[in-house]
Amino acid sequence: NAEALTARDAKTGTTVWSAETVRDPFENAFGTGPRATPATGSGKVVSHGVTGILACRELKTGKEVWKIDTLREFDGKNLYFGVSSSPLVDGERLFVMVGGKQAGIVCLSLADGKTLWKSLDDRASYSSPILTGEGANRRLIVLTQAGVVSLDPLTGKQDWKYPLVDKLNESSTTPVMLGNSIMAASVTYGAVGLNPAAGQASVAWKNGALTCYFSTPVLTKSGGEVLTVTGRLLPPPSSVLRCVEATTGKELWNKPGVGKYHAALMRLADGRFLMHDDFGNISLFEATPQEFKELSRARVCGATWAHPALSDGILYIRDEKDLIALQMR
């Protein structure tokens, strides 16, 4: 049992290097491969495997720098769908949600993997941490299995926690900054807008219909609206694209049937959006407070739950069989 991390030439797809990380066996009906997105910084790349193996390698060569079995090291337990939280690099620090005893969130040295601090008793979710603010106001925001938490990234000290508990323990969406407020969501809870203040976070709005599954919401270019893809657990499964006011959570419009379980959203520099659904379609659309306007649509791959990535005008997509690079025009 092993997971492979591969570096490819972005223009040609040629393999530059590939390295395997040995892991314990893992079986799941929804796939046995890694879920988390690797993080890069300071000439290194860090992967977080489905069984909790955190491996740091040299970005240019793939040579292993250090490796930690986080679930064993920090007394954590794996989740039903496997470890899914992506690591986060900030300078020479690495943040990862482990879900261990007194090690819900762990900060490590990127250079050698040594623990700098541990915080919380919270079990892990499938979500990933974000950083927001600058200087003394810089904060680490994490959606754990117990709720939304704000931590000092230098010390791990908790500023505040808002209880957001998913009935199925399936919180997967990444928290999103809506200006000065924070939006967090899960598939059974719905979504909440939080206003952070000294030592606490007050509720700006709550909308139980915004049942985001594992598609992270995206703010419009104006900042006045946020687009979400919501799902439902009752059969037949179906996803709905919703546009809501960022300050109130009020729905402005919706478009049903944009995917089965999932459709990933991406805002482009010109304010338009790309949506990649789990049937393998890519659509380009405009979103105003009044309407959804599809500009183009094409099927580009097979069924997938992977989010696309856009860099230097090339859109990278993967399904169960292929990694595909599309030139954006």
Side-chain angles (χ1 to χ4, degrees):
N1 288 278
E3 293 172 340
L5 180 64
T6 303
R8 297 179 183 272
D9 184 289
K11 299 296 184 182
T12 66
T14 304
T15 299
V16 178
W17 56 259
S18 183
E20 285 194 345
T21 301
V22 177
R23 71 173 199 201
D24 290 336
F26 177 80
E27 298 294 333
N28 189 271
F30 295 93
T32 60
R35 275 82 160 128
T37 302
T40 60
S42 299
K44 299 179 179 67
V45 56
V46 181
S47 60
H48 197 197
V50 74
T51 62
I53 303 294
L54 196 67
C56 177
R57 299 182 180 277
E58 292 180 356
L59 185 56
K60 286 187 176 182
T61 66
K63 180 182 177 182
E64 185 178 295
V65 180
W66 53 263
K67 181 173 63 179
I68 296 173
D69 185 331
T70 59
L71 297 185
R72 286 195 173 98
E73 178 76 14
F74 300 109
D75 194 24
K77 293 182 179 180
N78 207 347
L79 302 173
Y80 174 76
F81 297 107
V83 169
S84 302
S85 184
S86 299
L88 177 61
V89 171
D90 184 42
E92 295 301 320
R93 290 171 175 255
L94 174 70
F95 304 98
V96 61
M97 176 160 42
V98 176
K101 190 173 182 180
Q102 297 182 340
I105 312 299
V106 178
C107 176
L108 306 170
S109 165
L110 184 61
D112 55 19
K114 290 183 178 178
T115 302
L116 300 179
W117 56 254
K118 301 181 292 182
S119 184
L120 307 178
D121 276 327
D122 295 16
R123 289 287 309 277
S125 71
Y126 301 97
S127 178
S128 299
I130 64 169
L131 282 161
T132 181
E134 300 295 336
N137 295 322
R138 194 139 172 89
R139 287 296 178 265
L140 183 71
I141 307 296
V142 192
L143 175 57
T144 70
Q145 210 172 104
V148 190
V149 188
S150 172
L151 302 174
D152 184 331
L154 296 180
T155 64
K157 181 181 178 182
Q158 178 180 308
D159 300 306
W160 51 262
K161 178 188 285 187
Y162 176 82
L164 192 165
V165 179
D166 188 83
K167 294 178 181 179
L168 299 176
N169 294 328
E170 291 188 10
S171 294
S172 305
T173 58
T174 301
V176 176
M177 296 305 301
L178 307 180
N180 294 322
S181 64
I182 299 166
M183 177 181 175
S186 80
V187 70
T188 65
Y189 180 92
V192 64
L194 300 173
N195 289 325
Q200 61 180 358
S202 60
V203 176
W205 56 264
K206 185 178 178 182
N207 187 337
L210 301 182
T211 53
C212 304
Y213 210 158
F214 45 96
S215 177
T216 295
V218 178
L219 199 62
T220 59
K221 192 172 183 179
S222 70
E225 300 80 40
V226 60
L227 300 184
T228 73
V229 174
T230 64
R232 66 180 188 181
L233 298 177
L234 297 176
S238 181
S239 296
V240 179
L241 173 66
R242 303 180 191 272
C243 178
V244 303
E245 288 182 341
T247 55
T248 67
K250 177 185 176 182
E251 183 174 305
L252 301 175
W253 52 259
N254 70 69
K255 178 173 176 54
V258 297
K260 185 177 181 181
Y261 290 102
H262 172 65
L265 292 171
M266 179 184 298
R267 193 185 77 215
L268 304 177
D270 62 6
R272 295 182 297 176
F273 291 86
L274 284 178
M275 181 163 57
H276 186 207
D277 65 44
D278 51 8
F279 297 115
N281 301 299
I282 283 281
S283 57
L284 174 68
F285 68 92
E286 293 177 347
T288 69
Q290 292 76 37
E291 64 176 349
F292 167 92
K293 183 179 180 181
E294 186 173 85
L295 304 176
S296 62
R297 178 183 176 88
R299 178 148 190 185
V300 295
C301 68
T304 180
W305 286 351
H307 285 61
L310 180 63
S311 177
D312 292 332
I314 299 177
L315 185 70
Y316 301 94
I317 290 172
R318 68 178 178 89
D319 58 19
E320 292 180 328
K321 297 180 180 179
D322 298 308
L323 176 65
I324 304 165
L326 302 174
Q327 181 70 56
M328 303 292 292
R329 299 187 186 276

